[in-house]
């Protein structure tokens, strides 16, 4: 027996409930009836228009050689020159490539590992053990990267803890985790995972806790083993949440983690570790170069928007699930 | 009731939303006040911009940004009220606020300290800052003229077409770097402090392989340095001495004027290859800090403080930051020495610093006489004259306890947690200094009695630090300020970072033996091809533009 997420109502999906009362009454009547409520929406609306949409006018700077004293109307137009600069040099393209690789790896392990741990944790019977593991893996999330990176540089260094064990216990050559271009990306991804998976796990644990126990009872009566229950009940019930989180994290595809990389990288690993943000930071290109800075920002936002729209479509098409 | 409360709520939220917006204020500069007996009557106001770093901005109870011991002194003694109308926290925030002022959404104050050459350039281009050649000529007091005469290149960033749009903030050739060596290790191994590259090699080899601490373990090495961000750090853990030993004035990451009067870039000089070969050899033999590529300049100190490394190079005050080793390790003793000589027998050069930022003035500001009067008075603390013989204010940055001058805030009549930095309370970021790279220390060593604040402060340093400053003063000729100090040129803005990235990567990989030594030649070729040639051309165009007119003569500074 299977519980198909497409046919069974799954906790969390409420699309049937939407729009029960709207569209029956005409606009004007609706407003007249509940105008105080609409009035209370107004500040929020004004807020969003002023601070989220208003500043978007500034995006035209991306196509200008912007000078503050000339303003948006007085600065000269230079077409796509600012965007061309992003791709002009191989170092910059390398940085974009590195960003994609690191971000994709982070997103994928950042989804899989918390799901697996959440399921494993939910199977633990002892509440004490469960809670303490949960707290322990959750804690690193609250440390700042500056602190963690300082520790990691010492632990992973040539004379650090891990290499000390490698050389003295196993007698192998020391491994330069942070100085070897081929090891830098895995190091970054794994250390990010260590720091953040506990936090991601919480959401999944909550989802699992919200699954209707009667599914498990039914499965048990049908003779499903523990493993089958996980595969056919737990996972399908978690799917909507997984899709939501995956979709949202895709928006960060061009954010490979400035804080982390900036504190961990060095000239030996520029080839594989330099990301857009660190590259732009080092060049202090944004320092007073409004046009270029806006172009970089716009470029990142457009890519993120495209990916979010795409993943939303896919989620709808393949998992039959709507987030919005 | 419901309706009333929803309206109220809307009103409150909107008010909160709008609270962030407020109008700018009016420009100052009233004329009609006259100078009588060194005091303006009626009192005038100088509006200033200020970048306040984390050490400043802590006022005693009852004092604040625009009402403190220094502003009150100004009103009382000079009839000049200094009022901060544009305030920024860190450098980036301050620069942003100034840029906003350029858009017209914030008022541009009368006196604007600018710490970014790009921003200075923007201000000049916007036409909203004052040309001050004549003002300097007529109003700058003689003792300040003497200082500015010494450092003509500090005007370069603000010269356009022979016109001068600003002046350096308290220019002064900052102290140079010295070698700090574990004297006890030298003594154990019966070695002398190195003065040449061969001797340096012998010493670091012995520090690595000769068990200098005598504990029977191979747990020490010669020289700690940082190559994470640059091979010319300019302050601590600096490896630039090794480069200069081979390259002379062509030190990495810096421009200098060659014999033909043209600007050349140090990093691409062929002689760097020899320096890299040396460092590569030393690294493979374990004489250098193993993790020089992963540790920043400040982090690289730790090995010295922990008694693992025998030599470190840095500004004389570095002793204060590493002296813990003398407590941590029994028998440890640090001594300061001058940097070694180059292979040609001449001195090794290092990066020198002349000033942090420039003063610029609002185009409509017409009381330069008042500015210079105030500025000159601030220099009293640097010369130990006038109202400020020991410091700016008794009980703030110094105190006299039982007839003794003290700078230790805990010993004040009314003890403080930390000294009040009165020198930061007006338009200078620090107390101005006229001490060069350590003149007061040199004077003290010559037996001059410490009878003013500057000498007394110097005298209160550790003996090793004092010795370091004397070395720095005696070797002032090794300090090379970067000859290119203008705004980044067009090609610099678009490509300099890739060139720096390439440089740092190539240098580091050569030292770590991850690339052959010949990679340096490829780097040089690529550097020129990928924009270096254009950058050199533009840098030289800028250089000839600032030299075109004898601005120093126009300002009466010759």
């Amino acid at each position: 027996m299977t519980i198909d997420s497409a046919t069974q109502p799954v906790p969390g999906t409420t699309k049937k409930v939407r729009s029960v009362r709207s569209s029956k009454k005409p606009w004007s009547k609706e407003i007249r009836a509940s105008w105080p409520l609409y009035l209370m929406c107004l500040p929020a609306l004004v807020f969003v228009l002023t601070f989220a949409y208003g500043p978007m006018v500034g995006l035209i700077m991306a196509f200008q050689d912007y000078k503050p004293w000339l303003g948006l109307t007085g600065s000269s137009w230079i077409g796509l020159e600012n965007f061309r600069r992003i791709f002009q040099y191989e170092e910059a393209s390398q940085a974009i490539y590195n960003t994609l690789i690191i971000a994709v790896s982070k997103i994928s392990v950042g989804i899989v590992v918390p799901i697996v741990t959440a399921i494993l944790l939910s199977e633990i019977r002892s509440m004490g053990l469960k809670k303490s593991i949960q707290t322990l893996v959750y804690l690193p999330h609250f440390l700042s990267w500056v602190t963690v990176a300082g520790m990691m540089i010492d632990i992973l260094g040539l004379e650090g803890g891990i290499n000390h064990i490698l050389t003295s216990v196993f007698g192998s050559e020391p491994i330069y985790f942070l100085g070897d271009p081929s090891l830098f990306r895995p190091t970054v991804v794994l250390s990010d995972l260590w720091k953040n998976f506990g936090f991601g796990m919480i959401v999944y644990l909550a989802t699992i806790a919200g699954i209707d126990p009667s599914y498990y009872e039914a499965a048990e009566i049908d003779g499903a083993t523990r493993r089958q229950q996980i595969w056919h009940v737990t996972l399908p019930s978690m799917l909507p949440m997984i899709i939501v989180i995956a979709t949202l994290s895709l928006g960060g595809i061009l954010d490979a983690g400035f804080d982390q990389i900036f504190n961990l990288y060095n000239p030996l690993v520029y080839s594989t570790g330099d990301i857009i943000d660190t590259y732009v930071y080092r060049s202090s290109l944004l320092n007073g170069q409004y046009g270029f800075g806006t172009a970089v920002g716009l470029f990142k936002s457009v890519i993120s928007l495209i990916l979010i729209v795409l993943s939303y479509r896919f989620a709808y098409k393949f998992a039959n699930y709507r987030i919005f | 009731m419901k309706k009333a409360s929803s309206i109220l709520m809307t009103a409150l939220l909107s008010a909160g939303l709008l609270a962030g917006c407020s109008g700018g204020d009016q420009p100052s500069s009233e004329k009609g006040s006259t100078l009588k007996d060194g005091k303006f009557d009626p009192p005038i106001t100088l509006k200033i911009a200020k970048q306040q770093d984390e050490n400043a901005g802590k006022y005693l109870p009852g004092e604040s940004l625009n009402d403190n011991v220094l502003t009150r002194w100004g009103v009382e003694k000079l009839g000049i009220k200094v009022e901060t109308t544009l305030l920024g926290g860190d450098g980036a925030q301050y620069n942003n606020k100034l840029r906003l002022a350029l858009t017209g959404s914030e008022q541009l104050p009368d006196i604007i300290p600018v710490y970014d050459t790009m921003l200075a350039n923007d201000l000049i281009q916007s036409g909203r800052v004052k040309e001050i050649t004549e003002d300097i000529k007529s109003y700058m007091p003689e003792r300040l003229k003497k200082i500015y005469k010494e450092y003509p290149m500090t005007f370069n960033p603000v010269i356009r077409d022979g016109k001068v749009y600003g002046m350096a903030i308290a220019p002064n050739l900052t102290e140079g770097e010295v070698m700090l060596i574990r004297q006890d290790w030298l003594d154990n191994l019966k070695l002398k402090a190195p003065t040449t590259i061969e001797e340096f090699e012998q010493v670091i080899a012995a520090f690595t392989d000769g068990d200098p601490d005598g504990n029977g373990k191979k747990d020490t090495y010669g020289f700690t340095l940082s190559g994470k961000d640059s091979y010319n750090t300019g302050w601590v853990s600096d490896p630039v001495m090794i480069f200069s030993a081979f390259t002379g004035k062509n030190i990495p990451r810096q421009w200098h004027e060659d014999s033909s009067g043209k600007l050349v870039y140090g990093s691409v000089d062929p002689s760097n290859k020899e320096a890299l070969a040396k460092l590569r050899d030393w690294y493979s033999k374990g004489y250098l800090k193993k993790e020089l590529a992963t540790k920043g300049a400040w982090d690289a100190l730790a090995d010295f403080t922990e008694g693992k490394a025998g030599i470190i190079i840095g500004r004389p005050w570095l002793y204060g930051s590493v002296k813990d080793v003398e407590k941590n390790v029994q028998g440890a003793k640090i001594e300061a020495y001058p940097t070694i000589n180059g292979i040609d027998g001449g001195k090794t050069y290092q990066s020198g610093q002349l000033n942090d930022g420039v003063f610029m003035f609002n185009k409509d500001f017409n009381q330069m006489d008042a500015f210079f009067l105030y500025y000159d008075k601030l220099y009293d603390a640097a010369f130990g004259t006038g109202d400020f013989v020991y410091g700016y204010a008794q009980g703030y940055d110094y105190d006299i306890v039982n007839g003794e001058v003290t700078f230790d805030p805990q010993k004040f009549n009314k003890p403080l947690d930390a000294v009040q930095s009165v020198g930061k309370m007006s338009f200078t970021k620090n107390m101005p200094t006229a001490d060069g790279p350590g003149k007061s220390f040199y004077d003290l060593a010559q037996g001059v009695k410490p009878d003013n604040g500057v000498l007394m402060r110097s005298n209160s340093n550790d003996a090793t630090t004092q010795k370091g400053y004397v070395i720095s003063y005696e070797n002032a000729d090794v300090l090379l300020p970067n000859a290119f100090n203008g705004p980044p040129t067009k090609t610099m803005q678009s490509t300099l970072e890739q060139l720096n990235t390439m440089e740092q990567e190539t240098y580091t990989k050569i030292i770590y033996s991850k690339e052959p030594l010949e990679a340096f030649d490829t780097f040089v070729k690529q550097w020129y091809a990928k924009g270096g040639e254009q950058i050199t051309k533009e840098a030289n165009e800028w250089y000839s533009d600032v030299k075109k007119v004898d601005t120093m003569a126009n300002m009466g500074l010759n």
Side-chain angles (χ1 to χ4, degrees):
Chain A
M1 56 131 267
T2 349
I3 294 173
D4 191 346
S5 64
T7 53
Q8 291 292 322
V10 167
T13 47
T14 49
K15 62 183 153 135
K16 285 277 153 58
V17 198
R18 62 154 62 186
S19 61
V20 171
R21 111 191 133 100
S22 66
S23 74
K24 290 270 164 66
K25 281 187 221 164
W27 245 112
S28 50
K29 228 177 197 171
E30 164 84 20
I31 288 188
R32 213 169 303 141
S34 43
W35 65 264
L37 291 176
Y38 281 97
L39 189 65
M40 281 164 78
C41 282
L42 196 67
L45 196 69
V46 172
F47 184 87
V48 169
L49 284 177
T50 329
F51 292 107
Y53 287 90
M56 280 195 194
V57 175
L59 284 179
I60 58 174
M61 272 190 251
F63 308 94
Q64 285 184 330
D65 178 20
Y66 182 74
K67 304 271 182 227
W69 59 94
L70 295 176
L72 284 175
T73 45
S75 298
S76 57
W77 295 88
I78 53 168
L80 293 174
E81 191 52 42
N82 285 324
F83 293 90
R84 211 165 290 137
R85 255 177 79 189
I86 306 180
F87 299 100
Q88 194 176 3
Y89 303 96
E90 59 187 272
E91 285 84 359
S93 334
Q94 182 67 41
I96 294 173
Y97 177 74
N98 292 339
T99 310
L100 283 176
I101 297 263
I102 292 175
V104 168
S105 323
K106 274 187 181 176
I107 290 173
S108 33
V109 296
I111 288 171
V112 174
V113 175
I115 293 173
V116 174
T117 1
I119 293 176
L120 290 178
L121 262 191
S122 67
E123 297 293 321
I124 292 179
R125 303 243 162 217
S126 150
M127 269 318 265
L129 185 63
K130 189 171 158 180
K131 287 270 184 261
S132 37
I133 293 180
Q134 201 175 321
T135 314
L136 282 177
V137 298
Y138 180 59
L139 276 181
H141 176 79
F142 295 101
L143 296 174
S144 112
W145 264 117
V146 182
T147 322
V148 176
M151 280 154 48
M152 299 207 108
I153 288 173
D154 281 333
I155 293 171
L156 299 174
L158 277 179
E159 285 150 338
I162 292 185
N163 274 316
H164 188 72
I165 296 170
L166 282 179
T167 46
S168 59
V169 181
F170 299 102
S172 65
E173 283 289 300
I175 300 171
Y176 204 176
F177 292 98
L178 297 171
D180 185 336
S182 60
L183 287 176
F184 186 72
R185 280 185 206 144
T187 311
V188 164
V189 172
L190 290 179
S191 57
D192 180 68
L193 180 70
W194 168 78
K195 190 170 175 297
N196 288 327
F197 86 93
F199 191 74
M201 200 182 71
I202 301 281
V203 184
Y204 295 116
L205 274 178
T207 317
I208 293 173
I211 299 173
D212 190 343
S214 59
Y215 294 151
Y216 291 104
E217 284 158 18
E220 222 160 291
I221 289 165
D222 287 347
T225 62
R226 210 68 221 167
R227 204 173 301 165
Q228 281 170 320
Q229 286 178 30
I230 292 172
W231 193 250
H232 295 294
V233 181
T234 316
L235 270 178
S237 315
M238 285 168 80
L239 198 58
M241 190 47 78
I242 296 173
I243 291 172
V244 171
I245 290 189
T247 310
L248 291 181
S249 57
L250 268 178
I253 191 103
L254 288 180
D255 289 316
F258 172 79
D259 285 356
Q260 180 191 15
I261 307 245
F262 183 71
N263 285 302
L264 284 176
Y265 80 158
N266 61 70
L268 289 174
V269 293
Y270 279 167
S271 54
T272 57
D274 203 10
I275 57 171
I276 300 176
D277 294 340
T278 50
Y279 174 78
V280 165
Y281 174 87
R282 256 199 343 278
S283 43
S284 51
L285 279 174
L286 298 189
N287 200 358
Q289 297 194 42
Y290 300 90
F292 184 71
T294 314
V296 171
L298 185 60
F299 169 70
K300 285 175 70 173
S301 314
V302 167
I303 300 279
S304 301
L305 182 70
I306 293 174
L307 282 167
I308 289 189
V309 170
L310 277 183
S311 51
Y312 177 73
R313 295 261 159 210
F314 280 129
Y316 180 56
K317 199 163 173 199
F318 296 112
N320 196 18
Y321 176 69
R322 277 180 188 277
I323 301 171
F324 309 114
Chain B
M1 188 57 218
K2 227 181 191 173
K3 280 177 187 171
S5 66
S6 78
I7 291 171
L8 188 70
M9 217 169 135
T10 311
L12 277 176
L13 283 171
S14 316
L17 216 74
L18 294 171
C21 320
S22 67
D25 42 8
Q26 292 306 305
S28 68
S29 291
E30 60 268 50
K31 234 346 195 201
S33 179
T34 47
L35 194 58
K36 269 183 252 155
D37 308 324
K39 193 174 168 182
F40 280 89
D41 188 38
I44 59 164
T45 302
L46 299 182
K47 293 193 171 175
I48 65 164
K50 187 200 284 287
Q51 188 216 315
Q52 206 162 38
D53 61 37
E54 71 276 17
N55 300 318
K58 291 178 197 126
Y59 297 95
L60 291 181
E63 304 209 340
S64 62
L65 182 66
N66 284 322
D67 178 25
N68 54 55
V69 63
L70 193 64
T71 58
R72 289 197 289 257
W73 166 86
V75 176
E76 196 179 304
K77 288 285 173 82
L78 307 176
I80 299 173
K81 182 169 170 38
V82 169
E83 191 188 337
T84 305
T85 57
L86 189 150
L87 180 73
D90 59 6
Q93 197 204 356
Y94 178 70
N95 290 347
N96 271 338
K97 282 214 168 178
L98 280 184
R99 290 205 173 88
L100 278 177
L102 274 183
T103 65
S105 61
E106 238 177 287
Q107 192 65 44
L108 206 58
D110 301 330
I111 300 163
I112 314 146
V114 183
Y115 305 101
D116 179 286
T117 48
M118 189 78 187
L119 182 56
N121 186 48
D122 284 354
L123 281 158
I124 296 173
Q125 276 195 40
S126 74
R128 295 182 55 188
V129 289
K130 197 178 174 69
E131 208 278 322
I132 58 168
T133 308
E134 282 306 314
D135 294 304
I136 288 179
K137 197 172 177 180
S138 14
Y139 298 126
M140 190 188 265
E142 272 316 307
R143 68 173 178 181
L144 295 189
K145 275 191 174 160
K146 227 179 112 200
I147 294 174
Y148 281 85
K149 265 180 213 172
E150 269 184 74
Y151 308 115
M153 69 175 288
T154 58
F155 284 101
N156 290 357
V158 286
I159 293 178
R160 285 298 170 284
D161 299 323
K163 297 201 175 93
V164 183
Y165 292 93
M167 54 192 261
I169 299 172
N172 181 57
L173 185 61
T174 312
E175 72 278 356
E177 294 169 351
V178 294
M179 247 196 307
L180 294 181
I181 308 185
R182 282 288 294 274
Q183 187 60 40
D184 54 319
W185 288 10
L186 285 177
D187 295 344
N188 285 349
L189 300 167
K190 309 214 162 26
L191 289 165
K192 280 217 175 74
T195 57
T196 64
I197 199 91
E198 289 81 23
E199 288 173 13
F200 189 82
E201 181 166 325
Q202 280 164 19
V203 170
I204 57 172
F207 279 1
T208 310
D209 301 324
D211 192 21
D213 55 355
N215 66 355
K217 281 189 228 154
K218 193 172 182 295
D219 57 357
T220 56
Y221 68 89
F223 180 42
T224 180
L225 68 158
S226 167
K228 185 173 185 251
D229 305 304
S230 158
Y231 284 97
N232 179 2
T233 71
W235 57 314
V236 297
S237 310
D238 201 345
V240 78
M241 174 186 88
I242 309 295
F243 284 90
S244 180
F246 295 91
T247 64
K249 289 186 175 179
N250 284 303
I251 56 182
R253 293 286 175 101
Q254 201 163 308
W255 297 85
H256 83 97
E257 195 184 293
D258 70 0
S259 47
S260 67
K262 283 243 178 304
L263 289 186
V264 289
Y265 195 56
S267 303
V268 287
D269 191 84
S271 51
N272 281 298
K273 195 172 166 183
E274 294 165 59
L276 286 170
K278 209 36 144 188
L279 287 168
R280 178 191 177 95
D281 180 43
W282 290 350
Y283 185 84
S284 67
K285 290 179 174 155
Y287 301 168
L288 305 180
K289 181 171 179 61
K290 258 192 192 146
E291 303 194 42
L292 66 94
T294 41
K295 296 268 179 159
W298 192 254
D299 295 330
L301 302 187
D303 281 1
F304 192 86
T305 320
E306 288 162 14
K308 285 194 220 154
I311 301 179
I312 187 166
I313 296 174
R315 305 266 183 101
W317 45 257
L318 172 61
Y319 172 74
S321 305
V322 296
K323 68 177 176 188
D324 275 354
V325 70
E326 294 179 336
K327 262 190 264 158
N328 298 345
V329 182
Q330 216 191 338
K333 172 94 188 63
I334 303 172
E335 198 55 77
Y337 289 99
T339 49
I340 61 169
N341 286 334
I343 47 169
D344 61 356
K347 287 181 175 174
T348 50
Y349 293 90
Q350 40 176 285
S351 172
Q353 198 193 339
L354 289 178
N355 61 305
D356 182 13
V358 290
F359 284 126
M360 300 185 107
F361 306 90
N362 191 323
K363 187 170 65 41
D364 306 320
F365 177 57
N366 50 16
Q367 298 211 282
M368 290 295 283
D369 49 343
F371 165 76
F372 276 118
L373 177 69
Y374 203 105
Y375 187 40
D376 183 59
K377 292 285 175 197
L378 291 179
Y379 260 94
D380 272 345
F383 291 110
T385 51
D387 287 354
F388 304 139
V389 176
Y390 302 117
Y392 283 113
Q394 188 175 351
Y396 288 78
D397 56 352
Y398 75 96
D399 207 351
I400 301 174
V401 185
N402 304 326
E404 293 268 320
V405 176
T406 178
F407 302 105
D408 181 350
Q410 262 90 45
K411 291 189 189 136
F412 282 9
N413 289 321
K414 235 167 129 194
L416 301 176
D417 289 337
V419 178
Q420 281 274 299
S421 312
V422 183
K424 297 172 190 271
M425 289 179 187
S426 67
F427 38 74
T428 52
K429 213 199 234 173
N430 280 302
M431 185 165 124
T433 166
D435 204 30
K439 180 164 188 311
S440 58
F441 294 91
Y442 179 79
D443 289 348
L444 287 170
Q446 300 298 312
V448 171
K449 254 185 58 197
D451 57 357
N452 66 30
V454 179
L455 289 165
M456 286 172 180
R457 278 203 179 82
S458 300
N459 202 30
S460 64
N461 278 294
D462 293 312
T464 312
T465 309
Q466 290 198 42
K467 193 187 161 197
Y469 274 99
V470 175
I471 294 170
S472 148
Y473 183 73
E474 288 173 337
N475 294 288
D477 53 336
V478 308
L479 296 169
L480 283 187
N482 194 348
F484 180 88
N485 58 355
T489 67
K490 192 163 176 287
T491 315
M492 282 186 191
Q493 286 175 31
S494 62
T495 65
L496 190 61
E497 183 40 42
Q498 344 235 322
L499 301 180
N500 286 343
T501 304
M502 189 164 71
E503 171 188 332
Q504 206 58 23
E505 196 173 354
T506 313
Y507 274 34
T508 309
K509 286 191 165 167
I510 290 176
I511 295 173
Y512 273 71
S513 293
K514 303 227 171 187
E515 297 250 20
L517 192 54
E518 287 66 42
F520 179 79
D521 304 323
T522 324
F523 155 70
V524 174
K525 247 182 250 154
Q526 297 230 332
W527 191 87
Y528 281 110
K530 283 184 167 179
E533 199 163 348
Q534 182 64 21
I535 286 178
T536 312
K537 202 177 130 224
E538 290 170 359
N540 276 295
E541 278 166 9
W542 168 84
Y543 201 53
S544 49
D545 179 66
V546 299
K547 302 229 130 176
K548 199 167 57 187
V549 178
D550 188 357
T551 44
M552 290 304 277
N554 291 347
M555 292 184 285
L557 292 176
N558 47 354

